[in-house]
Structure formats: C-alpha cells, structure tokens
Amino acid sequence: MNIENSIFLKALNKEKLSTPPIWYMRQAGRYMPEYRAVRKNFKNFLDMCKNPEVCCELALQPINAFNLDAAILFSDILTIPDALGLGVKFLEGEGPVFDNPIKVSKDVINLPDFEPDNLSYVYKAVSNIKNALPKNIPLIGFSGSPWTLAAYSIEGRSSKNFEYTKSFIRNNEEEAHIFLQKLTDACFIYLKKQVEAGADVIQIFDSWANLLSKKDYETYSLNYIRSLISKLKEDQVTASIPIILFAREPEISCNQMIKVQADCLSLYWKTKDIDLAFLNGKVALQGNLNPEILLQEDNVIKNEADRILKQFKNYDGYIFNLGHGITPNIDPGKIKLLTDHIRSR
Ligand code: CP3
C-alpha cells in the first residue's frame, strides 16, 4: 500500500467514501500514558519539541495505538513566536507564557527577521516521522494562523478574552498589520519547509477566531489566512498540498469561510446550520464530535458518532474528527471504542 491509496487524501480530494478516514486533533498528548512516560523526562514542553527523535516517537504513539488514517507532526504552533525571540515557556497548569511579549508598538518594529533555520528541529521531526510512518499514512504539517500567533504574542499568555490584545490592535492598527504580515510570511516559509521535509497535508489552526467581530475577523484574520493560502497555492513546492483550515467559532459561516480557498474546513464542535448542499463539491469537511462526549458512557459516544455519520453520509469528502482537541482527562479506551465503532458502520 502506498500513499495513493490513502483514504484521507481521497477525502481531501472530495471523493465520497463508504467509511470516512479518521484522525483526531491532539491525538498525541497527555491523555495517553505512553505520552506521559516520555513527557516526564522534560521540564519544559518546548525542550521536548526541540528533540526530533522524541517528536517522532510521540507522533507515532496514536498511530500505533489506534491505527488512525493520518499522523500529525508533533510540535506546537508557538514555535514561530519562540523563533522570533519572544521566549515561549509552558508552565504547569498555566499553558504558554512569554518572557518577551509584544507590549508596545516599537516591539513590533524591533522584532528580528524570521530565520526559518531557527526551526530546523521541526523540519527534522517531520522527516523522521515521515520515514517512520507506514507508507500509506499521510503526515499533516501545521502552523497557527497569523492572527492566533499574534494574539498569544501580544497577550503574552493564554487568556479568556485577550483584552490586552484587543486594545493593542485598536490603538496600534498600523503595527498590528505589520506584525500580522510578518507572521504570514513566516508561516508560509515554515510550512513550505515542512512540505520539503515530507509533510503531505497542511493544517492551519485559527484557534482564537472567536475573539473578533465579523468585520475585525475579516480584517485581522481572514485576510492573512487568504494570503497565506494563496502563497502556498502559487508556490511549486506546495501547490498540490491539501490545506485544512480549523477556526474556532468564527463569527462568519462556512459558506463565507470557503472564500479563502482552503481544501477542507475543520469544523468546531459548536458549528450549527452547516449548509451541506451549498458546500458539497466545493470543499471537504472534517469534524466535529464534541470532545466532552468522550467523557460519557459508551452508548452515548456511539449514538453521537452515528448522528454525525448520518449527517455527512452523502457528503463528497468527509473526514471524521473531533470539533476541537482531545483533553488530558479522556480515557484512551474511549478513542479506541469510537474509532472501532466508526469503522464497523
Ligand atoms: O497530536 C497533536 O495534535 C500534537 C501536536 C500539537 C500540539 N499542539 C502539542 C501540544 C498540535 C497540533 C498543537 C496545536 C496547538 N497548540 C494549538 C491549536 C489547536 C487548538 O487546540 O486549538 C494551540 C492553540 C496550541 C497552543 C498550546 N500548546 C497551548 C494553549 C498549550 C497549553 C494548554 C494545553 O492544552 O495543554 C499547549 C501545550 C501542548 N501542545 C501540549 C501538547 C501535547 C501539552 C503540553 C504538556 O504536555 O505539558
């Protein structure tokens, strides 16, 4: 079996399949005992990401455990801000914290150029994972969206409402756009390097899409995603690589979202009123089981999976996934149950 037989790539190419391909956002992570056994050897999460052999082992853990249809690079979206000198650390129970966040407008002007070679540990992880994977399992490379990376870089940490970021972009519109453009250029070269190293598919995570009003979402996020995707589609190296876009609860509908020309939309679990008749043939869809369902009894999980399978039954190009990442409190046994159930339908 080689990569041409991959049902994941077929679905991204909008082919109808009797059983959907399956992979899960955050499929490698703390919910797996195998992951925790490796994680305990590193104090700082990002130090672990800087070790390509370890990243390879971690990316393969869920493939070996659940025989999934796609692997995802083991890394994090915050590698780019770290490479720009913002000093990213992950503190226990707090999530990411930046030593040198963007506090004032001149911090944007004083940023160094993005040096793609600062992230060669990521490209090495990609090639290691690609070499270790079965030939028919595609590898997903990824980056954050420019907006989501900017939000973390300005806020300096995770936050519920990112109030500082919102006031920064209101008060420093010009520098905000300079920063977003810089991040767009960095994401492009970073993703291109991942493709050169062996990534078969790209996913862009706009995890903080929900912070912005409809108008601001267009201005500060979608415009840059659109530009990033068009650069990828115009470059010889990346032109044929399918692009998946995940946006968490944006103010705009899927019908509007497809304007950015992603090949596949990864649906947040709360997404309502998906206009399947309109979208069919235009874009592949991925999603969108609520991860919290995985905390419930087996029958609840099966029923919810059946409801989703029925919803997308006649859709051309459907990939089963969650509507956001697996959380650390989920029992890996539930992932096995869900995967087996979908394949048995
Ligand atoms: O299988 C995989 O998906 C693993 C690769 C991966 C990680 N992060 C590993 C990780 C991917 C694709 C990501 C993407 C990512 N990182 C996103 C976008 C997806 C989303 O959830 O919306 C975001 C927003 C981040 C930023 C980030 N990384 C946060 C906020 C945190 C801390 C909070 C949390 O969930 O723990 C991380 C840490 C992180 N990234 C962990 C993992 C396995 C846990 C770190 C640990 O073990 O201490």
Side-chain angles (χ1 to χ4, degrees):
M1 286 274 270
N2 52 27
I3 201 94
E4 283 74 45
N5 300 103
S6 154
I7 58 169
F8 178 56
L9 293 182
K10 285 182 183 173
L12 286 169
N13 199 27
K14 302 189 273 293
E15 284 181 39
K16 179 153 30 248
L17 301 160
S18 50
T19 305
I22 309 172
W23 74 280
Y24 300 106
M25 286 201 270
R26 291 281 179 101
Q27 62 192 18
R30 283 163 296 180
Y31 78 102
M32 290 186 92
E34 302 93 307
Y35 174 88
R36 295 195 298 271
V38 176
R39 177 72 178 87
K40 72 171 174 13
N41 302 321
F42 296 85
K43 220 169 148 217
N44 185 0
F45 171 70
L46 217 47
D47 289 340
M48 186 168 78
C49 294
K50 290 178 183 172
N51 185 322
E53 285 76 35
V54 170
C55 291
C56 178
E57 181 183 351
L58 295 175
L60 267 93
Q61 285 178 345
I63 306 301
N64 295 334
F66 314 113
N67 188 23
L68 301 171
D69 296 300
I72 183 159
L73 162 66
F74 191 89
S75 191
D76 198 80
I77 61 167
L78 299 180
T79 51
I80 289 182
D82 189 60
L84 286 172
L86 303 187
V88 180
K89 289 203 187 81
F90 286 83
L91 302 182
E92 192 62 50
E94 272 200 67
V97 177
F98 288 57
D99 287 335
N100 318 302
I102 303 291
K103 278 283 157 236
V104 290
S105 58
K106 78 166 176 11
D107 295 342
V108 171
I109 311 304
N110 290 340
L111 274 175
D113 287 341
F114 173 66
E115 240 343 302
D117 290 345
N118 285 351
L119 296 180
S120 45
Y121 64 88
V122 177
Y123 323 133
K124 185 74 173 84
V126 170
S127 61
N128 285 359
I129 299 165
K130 187 65 192 164
N131 287 333
L133 274 175
K135 290 284 160 278
N136 60 328
I137 304 295
L139 175 59
I140 305 165
F142 69 87
S143 79
S145 71
W147 162 248
T148 290
L149 297 181
Y152 277 116
S153 305
I154 296 167
E155 201 71 25
R157 59 196 314 117
S158 222
S159 153
K160 195 152 180 274
N161 298 315
F162 283 73
E163 292 304 340
Y164 187 74
T165 305
K166 288 183 200 161
S167 78
F168 183 93
I169 62 169
R170 263 196 307 275
N171 299 331
N172 306 280
E173 223 174 292
E174 193 184 333
E175 288 80 5
H177 283 293
I178 292 172
F179 189 34
L180 286 162
Q181 186 59 53
K182 188 177 183 109
L183 290 167
T184 305
D185 296 341
C187 287
F188 165 67
I189 183 88
Y190 181 55
L191 290 169
K192 179 174 171 176
K193 292 251 179 197
Q194 291 183 33
V195 169
E196 281 170 340
D200 303 291
V201 171
I202 286 167
Q203 179 146 337
I204 300 168
F205 290 97
D206 198 9
S207 301
W208 292 109
N210 60 328
L211 296 176
L212 298 169
S213 69
K214 199 169 182 166
K215 185 166 158 285
D216 282 348
Y217 189 60
E218 286 277 350
T219 309
Y220 291 100
S221 188
L222 266 200
N223 276 343
Y224 292 96
I225 293 174
R226 185 190 285 115
S227 145
L228 173 58
I229 293 178
S230 84
K231 275 166 172 266
L232 290 163
K233 293 294 179 192
E234 279 160 20
D235 192 288
Q236 255 187 2
V237 172
T238 47
S240 64
I241 298 291
I243 301 173
I244 307 173
L245 172 60
F246 169 77
R248 167 162 149 199
E249 226 178 356
E251 288 287 334
I252 69 163
S253 69
C254 296
N255 289 11
Q256 295 167 296
M257 196 71 125
I258 62 171
K259 283 188 303 196
V260 302
Q261 304 281 324
D263 300 279
C264 176
L265 297 182
S266 188
L267 304 166
Y268 186 62
W269 60 271
K270 277 192 193 166
T271 315
K272 285 193 206 81
D273 307 323
I274 307 161
D275 187 351
L276 295 177
F278 176 81
L279 296 169
N280 201 16
K282 298 187 179 75
V283 73
L285 292 176
Q286 168 173 287
N288 68 339
L289 185 86
N290 179 353
E292 284 190 10
I293 294 282
L294 292 165
L295 299 170
Q296 311 250 350
E297 310 250 307
D298 292 3
N299 268 337
V300 178
I301 299 173
K302 288 183 187 170
N303 287 341
E304 187 57 14
D306 287 346
R307 187 191 63 74
I308 293 174
L309 288 180
K310 195 168 159 215
Q311 182 185 3
F312 293 101
K313 190 170 187 310
N314 294 313
Y315 198 82
D316 302 334
Y318 170 66
I319 298 153
F320 190 85
N321 204 315
L322 306 179
H324 206 181
I326 302 177
T327 48
N329 55 352
I330 286 167
D331 168 6
K334 300 290 189 179
I335 297 288
K336 172 134 183 35
L337 170 111
L338 174 63
T339 310
D340 290 347
H341 179 69
I342 289 173
R343 292 201 171 128
S344 73
R345 303 298 292 165

Coordinates of all heavy atoms in Angstrom, one line a residue, residues 24-30 35 39 45 48 72-78 90 95-96 142 148 152 158 205 207-208 246 324-325, ligand 1:
Y24 N -7.6 12.5 14.9 CA -8.1 13.3 16.0 C -7.2 14.5 16.3 O -6.0 14.3 16.4 CB -8.3 12.5 17.3 CG -9.2 11.3 17.1 CD1 -8.7 10.0 17.0 CD2 -10.6 11.5 17.0 CE1 -9.6 8.9 16.8 CE2 -11.5 10.5 16.8 CZ -11.0 9.2 16.7 OH -11.8 8.1 16.6
M25 N -7.7 15.7 16.4 CA -6.9 16.8 16.8 C -6.4 16.5 18.2 O -7.1 16.0 19.1 CB -7.8 18.1 16.8 CG -8.0 18.6 15.4 SD -8.4 20.3 15.3 CE -10.1 20.2 15.5
R26 N -5.1 16.8 18.4 CA -4.4 16.5 19.7 C -4.4 15.0 20.0 O -4.5 14.6 21.1 CB -5.0 17.2 20.9 CG -4.8 18.7 20.9 CD -3.3 19.1 21.3 NE -3.1 20.5 21.3 CZ -3.2 21.3 22.4 NH1 -3.3 20.8 23.5 NH2 -3.0 22.6 22.2
Q27 N -4.2 14.2 18.9 CA -4.2 12.8 19.1 C -3.0 12.3 19.9 O -3.1 11.2 20.5 CB -4.3 12.0 17.8 CG -3.2 12.2 16.8 CD -3.6 11.7 15.4 OE1 -4.8 11.5 15.1 NE2 -2.6 11.5 14.5
A28 N -1.9 13.0 19.8 CA -0.7 12.7 20.7 C -0.8 13.7 21.9 O -0.9 14.9 21.6 CB 0.6 12.9 19.9
G29 N -0.8 13.2 23.1 CA -0.9 14.2 24.2 C -1.1 13.5 25.5 O -1.0 12.3 25.6
R30 N -1.3 14.3 26.5 CA -1.3 13.9 27.9 C -2.3 12.8 28.3 O -2.2 12.2 29.3 CB -1.5 15.1 28.8 CG -0.2 15.9 29.0 CD -0.5 17.3 29.5 NE -1.4 18.0 28.6 CZ -1.8 19.2 28.8 NH1 -1.5 19.9 29.9 NH2 -2.5 19.8 27.9
Y35 N 2.5 8.8 26.3 CA 3.0 10.2 26.2 C 3.5 10.7 27.5 O 4.6 11.3 27.6 CB 1.8 11.1 25.7 CG 2.2 12.6 25.7 CD1 2.8 13.2 24.6 CD2 1.9 13.4 26.9 CE1 3.1 14.6 24.6 CE2 2.3 14.8 26.9 CZ 2.9 15.3 25.8 OH 3.2 16.6 25.8
R39 N 7.0 12.5 28.5 CA 6.9 13.9 28.9 C 7.6 14.1 30.2 O 8.2 15.2 30.5 CB 5.4 14.2 29.0 CG 5.1 15.6 29.5 CD 5.5 16.7 28.5 NE 5.1 18.0 29.0 CZ 5.9 18.8 29.7 NH1 7.1 18.3 30.1 NH2 5.5 20.0 30.1
F45 N 8.1 21.9 28.1 CA 7.4 21.3 27.0 C 8.2 21.6 25.6 O 8.4 20.7 24.8 CB 6.0 21.7 26.9 CG 5.3 21.3 25.6 CD1 5.0 19.9 25.4 CD2 4.9 22.2 24.7 CE1 4.3 19.5 24.2 CE2 4.3 21.8 23.5 CZ 4.0 20.5 23.3
M48 N 11.1 19.5 24.8 CA 10.7 18.2 24.2 C 10.5 18.4 22.7 O 10.9 17.6 21.9 CB 9.5 17.7 24.9 CG 9.1 16.3 24.5 SD 7.9 15.6 25.7 CE 6.4 16.4 25.1
I72 N -0.1 13.5 12.6 CA 0.2 14.9 12.7 C 1.6 15.1 13.3 O 1.9 14.4 14.3 CB -0.9 15.7 13.3 CG1 -0.6 17.3 13.3 CG2 -1.2 15.3 14.8 CD1 -1.8 18.2 13.4
L73 N 2.3 16.0 12.7 CA 3.6 16.4 13.3 C 3.5 16.7 14.8 O 2.5 17.3 15.2 CB 4.0 17.7 12.6 CG 5.1 18.6 13.3 CD1 6.4 17.8 13.3 CD2 5.2 19.9 12.5
F74 N 4.4 16.2 15.6 CA 4.4 16.5 17.0 C 5.2 17.8 17.2 O 6.5 17.8 17.0 CB 4.9 15.4 17.9 CG 4.6 15.8 19.3 CD1 3.3 15.5 19.9 CD2 5.4 16.6 20.1 CE1 3.0 15.9 21.2 CE2 5.1 17.1 21.3 CZ 3.9 16.7 21.9
S75 N 4.6 18.9 17.5 CA 5.2 20.2 17.8 C 4.2 21.1 18.4 O 3.3 20.6 19.0 CB 5.8 20.7 16.4 OG 6.6 21.8 16.7
D76 N 4.4 22.4 18.2 CA 3.4 23.3 18.7 C 3.3 24.5 17.8 O 4.2 24.8 17.1 CB 3.7 23.8 20.1 CG 2.4 24.3 20.8 OD1 1.6 23.6 21.3 OD2 2.3 25.6 20.8
I77 N 2.1 25.2 17.8 CA 2.0 26.4 17.0 C 2.9 27.6 17.5 O 3.2 28.5 16.7 CB 0.6 26.9 16.9 CG1 0.0 27.3 18.2 CG2 -0.3 25.9 16.2 CD1 -1.3 28.2 18.1
L78 N 3.4 27.5 18.7 CA 4.1 28.7 19.3 C 5.6 28.6 19.0 O 6.4 29.4 19.5 CB 3.9 28.8 20.8 CG 2.4 29.0 21.1 CD1 2.1 29.2 22.6 CD2 1.8 30.3 20.3
F90 N 6.2 26.9 28.7 CA 4.9 26.3 29.1 C 5.0 25.9 30.6 O 5.8 25.1 31.0 CB 4.7 25.0 28.3 CG 4.3 25.3 26.9 CD1 5.2 25.5 25.9 CD2 2.9 25.3 26.5 CE1 4.9 25.8 24.6 CE2 2.6 25.6 25.2 CZ 3.6 25.8 24.2
G95 N -0.4 26.9 30.9 CA -0.3 27.0 29.5 C 0.9 27.9 29.1 O 1.8 28.0 30.0
P96 N 0.9 28.4 27.9 CA 2.1 29.1 27.5 C 2.3 30.5 28.1 O 1.3 31.2 28.4 CB 1.9 29.3 26.0 CG 0.4 29.1 25.8 CD -0.1 28.3 26.9
F142 N 1.7 21.6 10.2 CA 0.8 22.6 10.7 C 1.5 23.9 11.1 O 2.7 24.0 11.3 CB -0.1 22.1 11.8 CG 0.6 21.9 13.1 CD1 0.7 22.9 14.0 CD2 1.1 20.6 13.4 CE1 1.4 22.7 15.2 CE2 1.8 20.4 14.7 CZ 1.9 21.5 15.6
T148 N -3.9 34.1 15.3 CA -3.8 33.3 16.5 C -2.4 33.4 17.1 O -2.2 33.6 18.4 CB -4.2 31.8 16.3 OG1 -5.6 31.8 16.1 CG2 -3.9 30.9 17.5
Y152 N -1.4 35.3 20.9 CA -0.6 34.8 22.0 C 0.6 35.7 22.2 O 1.0 36.0 23.4 CB -0.1 33.4 21.7 CG -1.0 32.3 22.0 CD1 -1.6 31.5 21.0 CD2 -1.4 32.0 23.3 CE1 -2.4 30.5 21.2 CE2 -2.3 31.0 23.6 CZ -2.8 30.2 22.6 OH -3.7 29.2 22.8
S158 N -2.0 32.6 27.7 CA -3.3 32.2 27.4 C -4.3 33.1 28.2 O -3.9 33.5 29.3 CB -3.6 30.8 27.7 OG -4.3 30.2 26.6
F205 N -4.3 26.4 12.1 CA -5.1 26.5 13.3 C -5.4 28.0 13.7 O -4.5 28.7 14.1 CB -4.5 25.9 14.6 CG -4.3 24.4 14.5 CD1 -3.2 23.7 14.0 CD2 -5.4 23.6 14.9 CE1 -3.1 22.4 14.0 CE2 -5.3 22.2 14.9 CZ -4.1 21.6 14.4
S207 N -7.2 29.2 16.2 CA -7.8 28.8 17.5 C -8.4 30.0 18.2 O -9.3 29.8 19.1 CB -6.8 28.1 18.4 OG -6.3 27.0 17.8
W208 N -8.0 31.2 17.9 CA -8.6 32.4 18.5 C -9.5 33.2 17.6 O -9.7 34.4 17.7 CB -7.6 33.2 19.2 CG -7.0 32.5 20.4 CD1 -5.8 31.9 20.5 CD2 -7.8 32.1 21.6 NE1 -5.7 31.2 21.7 CE2 -6.9 31.3 22.4 CE3 -9.1 32.4 22.1 CZ2 -7.3 30.8 23.6 CZ3 -9.5 31.9 23.3 CH2 -8.6 31.1 24.1
F246 N -8.8 25.1 10.4 CA -9.6 25.0 11.6 C -9.8 26.4 12.2 O -8.8 27.1 12.4 CB -9.0 24.1 12.6 CG -9.6 24.2 14.0 CD1 -10.8 23.5 14.2 CD2 -9.1 24.9 15.0 CE1 -11.5 23.6 15.5 CE2 -9.7 25.0 16.3 CZ -10.9 24.4 16.5
H324 N -12.7 19.8 18.4 CA -11.5 20.5 19.0 C -10.7 19.4 19.5 O -11.0 18.2 19.3 CB -11.9 21.5 20.0 CG -10.9 22.6 20.2 ND1 -11.1 23.7 21.1 CD2 -9.7 22.9 19.6 CE1 -10.0 24.5 21.1 NE2 -9.2 24.0 20.1
G325 N -9.6 19.8 20.2 CA -8.6 18.7 20.6 C -9.1 17.8 21.7 O -9.9 18.2 22.6
Ligands
CP3_1 O1 -1.3 15.3 18.2 C1 -1.2 16.6 18.2 O2 -2.0 17.3 17.8 C2 0.1 17.1 18.8 C3 0.7 18.3 18.2 C4 0.1 19.6 18.7 C5 0.3 20.2 20.0 N1 -0.2 21.4 20.0 C6 1.0 19.6 21.1 C7 0.8 20.1 22.5 C8 -0.6 20.5 17.9 C9 -1.2 20.3 16.5 C10 -0.8 21.6 18.7 C11 -1.5 22.9 18.3 C12 -1.8 24.0 19.2 N2 -1.0 24.4 20.2 C13 -2.9 24.8 19.1 C14 -4.0 24.7 18.0 C15 -5.0 23.6 18.4 C16 -6.1 24.1 19.4 O3 -6.1 23.3 20.4 O4 -6.8 25.0 19.2 C17 -2.8 25.7 20.1 C18 -3.8 26.8 20.5 C19 -1.6 25.5 20.8 C20 -1.0 26.3 22.0 C21 -0.8 25.5 23.2 N3 0.0 24.4 23.3 C22 -1.5 25.7 24.4 C23 -2.5 26.7 24.7 C24 -1.0 24.7 25.3 C25 -1.2 24.5 26.8 C26 -2.6 24.1 27.1 C27 -2.8 22.7 26.8 O5 -3.7 22.3 26.1 O6 -2.1 21.9 27.5 C28 -0.1 23.9 24.5 C29 0.7 22.7 25.0 C30 0.7 21.5 24.2 N4 0.8 21.4 22.9 C31 0.7 20.1 24.8 C32 0.7 19.3 23.7 C33 0.8 17.8 23.7 C34 0.6 19.8 26.3 C35 1.9 20.1 26.9 C36 2.4 19.3 28.0 O7 2.5 18.0 27.9 O8 2.7 19.8 29.0

